[in-house]
Structure formats: C-alpha cells, structure tokens
Amino acid sequence: MQFTTRPTLSGTFGMVSSTHWSASQSAMAVLEDGGNAFDAAVAAGFVLHVVEPHLNGPAGEVPIILAPAGGEVRVLCGQGPAPAGATIEHYRALGLDLVPGTGPLAAAVPGAFDAWMVLLRDHGTKSLREVLKYAIGYAEDGHAPVERVGETVETVRALFETEWTSSAEVYLPGGRAPRPGELLRNPALAATWRRLVEEAGDGERTEQIERARAVWREGFIADALVRQSGVPTMDTSGTRHTGTLTRADLAGWSATYEPPVTYDWRGWTLCKAGGWSQGPAFLQQLALLPPELPAYGSAEYVHLLVEGCKLAMADREAWYGDAAEVPVEELLSEPYNAQRRALIGEKASYELRPGHPGGRVPVLSAHALAVAAGEPGFDATGMAGAGAGEPTVAQDGGTRGDTCHVDVVDRWGNMVAATPSGGWLQSNPVVPELGFPLGTRLQMAWLDPGLPNSLTPGRRPRTTLTPSLALRDGVPVMAFGTPGGDQQDQWQVHFFLAVAVRERVRGGLDLQGAIDAPNWHNDSFPGSFHPRGMRPGSVTVESRMDPGVVAALRQRGHDVTVGGAWSEGRLCAVARDPETGVLSAAANARGMQGYAVGR
C-alpha cells in the first residue's frame, strides 16, 4: 500500500476540500443541513474571508467553475474590471511605470461578493442568512488564527501603525498581532453581514439575494467602498494616492457566466476560465506534451514539464488579457504546439520565447522586455520561493500574491471549484465601517498601450486565479485547484498528471498521493505581481525530490533551488466516479491548514 500524509477520503454523501479546516467543515455543515454543493461553496467562501484574511476578502475576486448535475460546465466570472477612471494616461500622469502593488489605485471593481451571490441565487437552495451565519460567527465570536496571519501583520506593522490605522484597529488590537491559540475577532465585518442580512429582508429567497446585491452595489457598502477609495493612501510607490472607484463603477458591474475553455487529453477534458485568466496556460502545457511521456518523476519528465511551462507562460505574457481578443484556438492547436514542442531541447532555456499563433507577431511590455533582458534595475526582486503557497509580503504591503481554494461535490453530483483571492489585509487599509479592505488586482495590468493586458477601463486585468474541472469521457469527475499566484497552473498540471498517469489506488483516483508527490515550480517569466520580476532558468524543488533528479536537472542547465520538504503548493481536490457514484476528496498537508472532509 502507498502511504500518504492522509487518506484519500471516500463516501457517497458529500465531499469538501479547502485551504482551511474551518471553511471545509462549514461547507460540510451546509451539506448536512440539506444544502447542495453550491450552497456549501458560498458558505465556505465567506468563512475563508474571515479565517484567511491575508489571502482573500469580500472586495477581492473569485473565478468559479461549476458543473450542475446533468447540466453544462460553466465559468462564473467574479473578476471585476478596471474602473472608468483607471486609464493609462491617469497613472502615467502620476509618474508611474507600473500599477502600485497596494493602495486604492490598484483596486479593480470588487468581484467576489457578487459572484458568490449569483452562484447562490442561480444554483443554491439556502437563504442568505443560512450561508452567512458561519462567517458571522467566526467574525463575531472569534477564531484561532493560523500562524501566517500574525506573521503577515508583523511584516506590515509599521505601515499599519503609521499610515493604515484602520487596519491596526482590526489586526493589531492592543498593539499585538494575532497569535495562534488566541481568538481573533472582526466585529465590524460581522456587523456588516448582519446589516446586509437585515436590509435584504424576508420573503422569497432570490429576492433577498437580489436586495443584498443592490446593497453592495448601491447601498451602505458601496458608499463606504467609494469613500475609502478617495482617501489618500500610502502605496508601494512610496506616495499617497487616491483611487478611481466610483458608485457608477459598482452599480454598473455584475458577475457573469461564460463557457469554459477546454482541451481534450487522453480521454480527459480539462475545463478552465478564458484568456482573461492564466487558465489556458494549463491547457497549453498539456498540448505541448509529446505522445509518450518520460517516466513519471524522472529528470526527463521534470525537464519536459518545466520547459513546456516556460513556453506556455511566454505565450501568457504575449497573448493573454481582456483588452484584446485572445487567440485561444490557435494557441491550443496541434500544428502550433508541434512547432512549439520542437523548441524544447536537452538544455534549460533562459529565454522568454512567445510564439506566433496564426502568424501574429507577439508584442511584450517594455517592463517585461527589460526584465527578460536582465537590464539594471529590472531584477528578480520578490521572486524567491514562496513557501507552501503563502504570499511573500514586503513591509510596504506589496505581495507576490496568494489566495484560497475550495472544491465541493454533493450526493446529487453537483460539482464546483472556486479560487477566491484579493482584498488581502495587506492590500489596502481596512474600510472602517465594513471590516475589510479593497483589492489590488489592477497591479496585473500593464501601463503600456496596445497589449492584451493593458490597463483599460471596463476590462478585466489578467488574473492568476485558475480553478479547474476535469471530465472523463464527457462526464464531470474531478474539481481541483490551488493558491500560489503564478505557480497555480504549474502545480495543478503536476497534480493532474500524477492523477492521470499513475496507477489508481483502492479502485479510485489517488488524489492524496498526487497532492503529496514532490512538487516544483519555475519563475522563468515576468511575474504577475508588483514588482513583476523573473528568474530565467530557475527551478525551485522540494527537498524530497530524488537527489539524482536534482543533479540531472543541474546538468541540463537548470538553476535549481532546493526548498523545504513540504513547500510547494496548497492543492485541494474532490472527485466523483460516475459509474459507482462514489465521491472522494483530498487536501494538502503543506502549510498545516488545508483539510478535506466528507462521508
């Protein structure tokens, strides 16, 4: 028998996996109370806002992939666009070359709350009060924070104490950062949700939800968000700036559905969000694989995946975004990938090599070109390994970025994967009246015109958030995802291949074994987060990787950094066998907080 950190859970009633045990158990409580997978995911999402505040918040964003039992797979986009006033000209006039990594200038129109509400309205069965009660309880009565919450707060203590004092009131009560074993409360957040429920009123369920959405977009929450955006705020530029968010921006946007981008591979169909996310980069990595794979875990195997990832991420840099049409069909076509596959040699590449889909000429931002060329002043700052998928946070609040994840499958066969992020406690000052901050997703857009990811009013900044859903012979069988910024569609590819190419255990998918397998990532492309550095040729591996493989990778020219034994990824996964109806789930042991539950 293969031993893993935990068993792959199995049962027939319901399964949940998330990056925090409280969110997983809250979602399971909803299932036990008769709710479905979508009710459970919404409840878990709001709990994650409370217990992982350094990784996500209500004013952040969340892409969701859902597969209703017997229905079509759809993507629910909870990524808000740039406000109407967020023009390149405005930012350039302020003397900026990059969107700051913190502060209101980096705030897109908040997307997470509305996406959760749309999911609950269209696919859930529970009332607003029923799904919010878990988050309200943790915010009001307190929860014992994980170590990383306090560590993050300590990193930005000086900023909180001197500039972002509303954040200090929540996260430095009595001058002390949150500590494990003590209760952390956020009474302002609890009061916000209680008032929201009250103003949503009674009556029919969908009407309550619509009234709650209106409160967010046009009521007291909108007033507070816009007021906060107008406060001059110290950001990573070293200057105080006001934001561009208005009531019209909030009132004019809502979460929307769209079809997933898909790719077929050996009987599997992988579903991702479109080219406004980095999701297609996962699919490109599969498309770049040869018909026969090297032995799993061998140096040849790791080399192939690293080099394929570099090519896919170079295409992400040149072609992905919401400001122009993304040529996804060409990027996933066999002729295109045959040409790209031929670029993978025996040695590691140190170049940023975007392709020419459909004969198009790639255009990169000036910053990306300078970073790739290694010009002075454009170094790899902030691109070191990020330890268990947690964000690297600077004293000014700048973060490489990270997030949360939740997957749910229920006894009826409904399945959902969601990756909530943004609105981190270190992203913007806490809005005093609300208990949570604005987000910073605009930092992913470029201030160069004419690029697919140029900052453009009304257009989404390209996001790293990328939940996954897999079908087998056309039937949904697995939902999965991970935090990790630019690493998300690296670790997920490694996980999926470990599930798909290794032997099954106990008659089902070896979800836990695939999560536990030694993992790695590379930073050989411009990062999505301020200051957007890169490390050409780099590969960071867990120390559990075979030393012979590490030595062979170095012989091939890879700049290998050996990280901690359990430092790469925070994967979650649930699955359903359509033949037997058996459900399964697994969660990452790295970081000591992710859990799967079910029966």
Side-chain angles (χ1 to χ4, degrees), residues 129 216 232:
R129 187 185 305 275
W216 178 276

Side-chain angles (χ1 to χ4, degrees), residues 482-513:
T482 181
D486 293 312
Q487 292 97 332
Q488 289 182 34
D489 278 322
Q490 300 184 57
W491 294 330
Q492 290 188 72
V493 168
H494 308 161
F495 162 80
F496 169 72
L497 290 175
V499 169
V501 305
R502 299 197 310 178
E503 292 184 5
R504 293 189 171 201
V505 295
R506 296 178 180 171
L509 301 177
D510 184 14
L511 301 182
Q512 194 65 52

Side-chain angles (χ1 to χ4, degrees), residues 418-472:
T419 309
S421 185
W424 307 300
L425 67 85
Q426 67 273 17
S427 64
N428 258 299
V430 166
V431 183
E433 306 95 318
L434 303 180
F436 59 85
L438 287 163
T440 53
R441 191 60 57 174
L442 291 188
Q443 67 180 287
M444 298 189 170
W446 294 112
L447 295 181
D448 301 45
L451 302 175
N453 192 31
S454 296
L455 180 66
T456 307
R459 294 289 184 173
R460 296 165 288 192
R462 190 193 72 214
T463 179
T464 53
L465 308 177
T466 175
S468 302
L469 199 140
L471 290 71
R472 187 73 175 169

Side-chain angles (χ1 to χ4, degrees), residues 380-416:
T381 303
M383 295 302 291
E390 294 284 6
T392 300
V393 180
Q395 292 181 358
D396 60 4
T399 179
R400 178 170 156 187
D402 206 351
T403 178
C404 313
H405 189 80
V406 59
D407 302 307
V408 189
V409 61
D410 63 29
R411 61 190 185 275
W412 300 287
N414 298 302
M415 189 177 293
V416 59

Side-chain angles (χ1 to χ4, degrees), residues 133-321:
K133 67 180 181 181
Y134 305 94
I136 291 172
Y138 283 120
E140 194 166 62
D141 302 328
H143 65 97
V146 295
E147 288 85 351
R148 188 59 179 162
V149 174
E151 291 170 2
T152 301
V153 172
E154 285 292 356
T155 302
V156 292
R157 172 186 283 272
L159 179 68
F160 280 14
E161 290 179 335
T162 60
E163 295 282 348
W164 297 8
T165 54
S166 60
S167 297
E169 291 179 9
V170 176
Y171 293 108
L172 286 168
R176 291 182 55 184
R179 297 183 182 184
E182 299 179 357
L183 290 179
L184 171 62
R185 295 179 173 87
N186 191 339
L189 178 59
T192 295
W193 296 146
R194 286 195 180 281
R195 181 176 173 184
L196 178 81
V197 170
E198 180 181 345
E199 293 195 12
D202 299 320
E204 202 271 328
R205 192 183 71 89
T206 58
E207 293 176 355
Q208 292 179 33
I209 296 168
E210 284 302 304
R211 286 192 290 268
R213 296 178 70 206
V215 170
W216 178 276
R217 294 200 302 260
E218 303 169 8
F220 79 94
I221 294 177
D223 291 339
L225 292 175
V226 171
R227 186 162 49 248
Q228 185 64 46
S229 178
V231 175
T233 301
M234 181 65 69
D235 59 37
T236 53
S237 72
T239 303
R240 295 180 184 87
H241 291 116
T242 57
T244 61
L245 185 69
T246 67
R247 286 181 61 90
D249 294 318
L250 288 166
W253 182 84
S254 64
T256 54
Y257 294 100
E258 59 190 55
V261 176
T262 63
Y263 185 75
D264 295 330
W265 189 82
R266 296 190 181 184
W268 295 82
T269 299
L270 283 303
C271 303
K272 301 291 284 188
W276 53 270
S277 76
Q278 72 173 357
F282 177 109
L283 308 179
Q284 280 193 254
Q285 290 174 77
L286 294 183
L288 284 162
L289 295 175
E292 296 296 326
L293 292 179
Y296 176 84
S298 66
E300 292 81 6
Y301 178 86
V302 177
H303 172 77
L304 175 67
L305 293 184
V306 169
E307 294 303 298
C309 175
K310 292 175 185 178
L311 295 173
M313 289 302 199
D315 278 343
R316 183 195 75 164
E317 193 58 46
W319 301 111
Y320 291 21

